[in-house]
């Protein structure tokens, strides 16, 4: 199945990974040496989780507390440290020296676009894709090259052209000719989506292309260099910024479009569990001992980002993942937790704290943005827990999922599903708050369409007391394309098929039997726009 992108080749079992990736070597000294042989630290890949203890090991409590930023300069994974789960995930995926994305990933790239009209049906099309995968060669022993594809690469250039039609239609309706077309993209991969968008604008809308500014924010140095080589020579309007979006500090005062295409699934999550006696949340921490073994323990929530997410969730009336009986009856909770072998903590729940950081960054530095975001809404083969990730690697050309998050850093892809309906609620609530002015910056400019005197000075309901529920509260001095302060339209959630049926040229990707993989595949993907 190609509905998942990165998990279509799943097969095999965990012992396969262990067999190829465990090693233990003894360093032998020359004859006559009085020193005993020393054992090299095993190069382990899969780590068994330890059972929960009310009182964690005192040695682990005294370990140094670190963040992913603290570990960026290390060339090997750390030992004798502890960190939040999100820092462990970020270090595993993005550490510049041993992280999964800087060192392991190969993005599937079609050297030539598929000729969809030549394929008899979807089975023949999938066989052609499998043959292109096989062209990357066979893996040697140990972790193989981590190859995965995206709809951008698989349906090039038609997927990118659909995104371009979406952007240009909104731009022409609202901003042309008073504003430039300003696009930001995070995690642009090989740069294929940007190339397809800009090629389309250059050919179909040259007047818009001449006013286009395209900025890529890329955390990987290798991918940033690849994007510059692919894009900057052909499209001088491209600017590639090699940095994390979470370190962004430049105000974009103009209206802009912000693209996050299959990016947030790899955003780090925090793990929380609830005390079943009191329903108090506890934050999970990972400890790494001197041998590189992992353990977890839980403390009361003290992290500001976790606290902010839980507070926002309560504000939006998003219930925690606990049974109604546990939440409503204290007597039942007491009875249940006193049963023999009953757990005292709920199942792990993974909360998208880094996604919350992104939304806060958008509100602060991109106050007039329009977000286009797409990613997985559900995933199979996840680890145990609520909103749990898929953790997988490739061994001898076979994708191997694991049953635990705590695996050797840098060798495994870790990606999460997204609840798009809850994301929409969180996003709209955050965007509705007035953005704090960044230090040392000028106030956000008003639109050239605005009148000299803001109509909001007379009250936002001056023209009418009715305000549509699908519109945000209007900003002072910023009017819509109608010239009235009615506010921007709120974001909506679309399935993958709904979005592509609206903006794609479906004739270009239709197979001979009438099937259309552009809309038939990726049924577990949604859009927010």
């Amino acid at each position: 199945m190609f509905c998942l992108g990165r998990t279509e080749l799943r097969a095999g079992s965990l012992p396969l990974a262990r067999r190829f990736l465990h090693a233990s070597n003894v360093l032998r000294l020359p004859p006559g040496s009085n020193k005993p042989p020393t054992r090299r630290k095993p190069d382990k890949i899969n780590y068994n989780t330890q059972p929960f203890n009310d009182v964690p090991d005192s040695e682990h409590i005294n370990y140094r507390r670190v963040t992913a930023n603290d570990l960026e300069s290390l060339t090997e994974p750390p030992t004798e440290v502890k960190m939040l789960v999100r820092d462990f995930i970020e270090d595993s995926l993005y550490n510049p020296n041993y992280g999964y994305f800087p060192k392991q990933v190969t993005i599937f790239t079609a050297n030539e676009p598929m000729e969809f009209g030549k394929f008899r049906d979807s089975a023949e099309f999938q066989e052609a894709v499998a043959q292109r995968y096989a062209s990357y060669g066979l893996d040697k022993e140990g972790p193989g090259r981590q190859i995965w594809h995206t709809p951008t690469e698989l349906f090039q250039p038609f997927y990118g052209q659909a995104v371009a039609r979406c952007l240009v239609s909104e731009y022409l309706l609202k901003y042309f000719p008073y504003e430039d077309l300003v696009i930001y993209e995070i995690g642009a991969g090989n740069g294929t989506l940007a190339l397809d968008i800009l090629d389309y604008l250059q050919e179909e809308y040259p007047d818009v292309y001449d006013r286009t500014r395209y900025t890529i924010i890329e955390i990987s140095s290798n991918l940033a260099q690849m994007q510059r080589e692919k894009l900057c020579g052909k499209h001088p309007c491209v600017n590639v910024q090699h940095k994390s979006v979470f370190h962004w500090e430049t105000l974009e005062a103009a209206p802009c479009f912000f693209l996050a295409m299959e990016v947030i699934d790899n955003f780090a999550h925090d793990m929380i569990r609830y005390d079943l006696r009191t329903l108090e949340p506890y934050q999970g921490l990972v400890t790494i001992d001197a041998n590189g073994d992992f353990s977890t323990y839980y403390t009361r929530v003290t992290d500001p980002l976790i606290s902010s997410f839980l507070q926002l969730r309560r504000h939006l009336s998003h219930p925690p993942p606990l049974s109604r009986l546990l939440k409503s009856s204290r007597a039942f909770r007491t009875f249940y937790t006193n049963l023999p072998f009953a757990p005292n903590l709920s199942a792990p729940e993974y909360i998208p704290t880094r996604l919350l950081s992104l939304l806060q960054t958008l509100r602060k530095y991109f106050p007039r943005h329009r977000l286009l975001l797409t990613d997985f809404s559900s995933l199979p083969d996840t680890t145990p827990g609520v909103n749990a990730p898929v953790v997988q690697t490739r061994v001898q050309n076979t994708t191997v999922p694991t049953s635990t998050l705590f695996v050797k850093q840098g060798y495994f892809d870790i990606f999460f599903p997204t609840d798009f309906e809850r994301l929409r609620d969180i996003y709209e609530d955050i965007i509705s708050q007035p953005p704090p002015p960044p230090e040392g910056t000028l106030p956000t400019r008003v639109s050239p369409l605005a009148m000299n005197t803001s109509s909001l000075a007379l009250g936002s309901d001056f023209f009418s007391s009715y305000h549509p529920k699908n519109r945000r509260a209007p900003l002072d001095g910023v009017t819509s394309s109608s010239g009235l302060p009615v506010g921007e339209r709120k974001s909506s959630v679309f399935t993958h098929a709904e979005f592509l049926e609206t903006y794609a040229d479906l004739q270009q990707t239709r197979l001979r039997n009438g099937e259309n993989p552009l809309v038939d595949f990726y049924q577990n993907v949604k859009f927010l726009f």
Side-chain angles (χ1 to χ4, degrees), residues 88-287:
F88 174 78
I89 295 173
E90 281 191 359
D91 183 58
S92 299
L93 293 179
Y94 300 112
N95 185 284
N97 298 305
Y98 54 79
Y100 175 80
F101 281 101
K103 294 300 179 183
Q104 299 291 336
V105 169
T106 299
I107 300 177
F108 171 85
T109 303
N111 295 326
E112 296 181 359
M114 297 279 193
E115 297 185 55
F116 293 90
K118 292 186 176 181
F119 296 110
R120 180 179 62 255
D121 51 26
S122 60
E124 188 172 275
F125 171 71
Q126 292 189 42
E127 179 63 29
V129 175
Q131 292 175 1
R132 295 199 179 193
Y133 262 84
S135 67
Y136 284 89
L138 298 176
D139 292 334
K140 300 178 181 179
E141 287 194 2
R145 286 170 298 179
Q146 309 300 304
I147 305 174
W148 43 265
H149 69 256
T150 66
T152 299
E153 301 288 348
L154 197 59
F155 301 108
Q156 182 187 7
F158 309 113
Y159 182 87
Q161 291 176 358
V163 174
R165 288 190 189 93
C166 173
L167 300 181
V168 76
S169 63
E170 290 288 313
Y171 170 72
L172 291 175
L173 176 65
K174 294 181 178 179
Y175 304 118
F176 184 81
Y178 302 102
E179 300 279 3
D180 291 341
L181 175 56
V182 182
I183 304 172
Y184 285 82
E185 183 184 0
I186 58 172
N190 289 341
T192 303
L193 178 65
L195 181 66
D196 292 341
I197 291 174
L198 293 171
D199 284 350
Y200 178 81
L201 293 178
Q202 188 177 40
E203 182 176 350
E204 300 293 333
Y205 297 91
D207 292 341
V208 173
Y209 176 81
D210 291 340
R211 304 192 58 174
T212 297
R213 174 160 52 94
Y214 203 112
T215 301
I216 293 174
I217 305 173
E218 178 58 59
I219 193 173
S220 168
S221 58
N222 294 335
L223 290 178
Q225 182 59 33
M226 183 184 303
Q227 292 157 10
R228 292 188 185 101
E229 294 174 356
K230 175 179 283 189
L231 296 167
C232 294
K234 185 175 183 181
H235 298 290
C237 60
V238 173
N239 176 27
V240 179
Q241 294 283 336
H242 173 216
K243 66 189 311 179
S244 169
V245 68
F246 304 118
H247 299 161
W248 189 264
E249 295 180 342
T250 303
L251 175 67
E252 177 56 75
C256 62
F257 294 93
F258 198 95
L259 309 184
M261 314 298 283
E262 294 199 38
V263 174
I264 64 169
D265 59 312
N266 288 119
F267 276 11
H269 286 49
D270 272 294
M271 183 172 67
I272 62 171
R273 300 178 73 174
Y274 288 87
D275 185 333
L276 295 181
R277 296 160 294 188
T278 64
L279 302 188
E280 180 183 3
Y282 281 72
Q283 62 188 21
L285 289 98
V286 184
T287 65

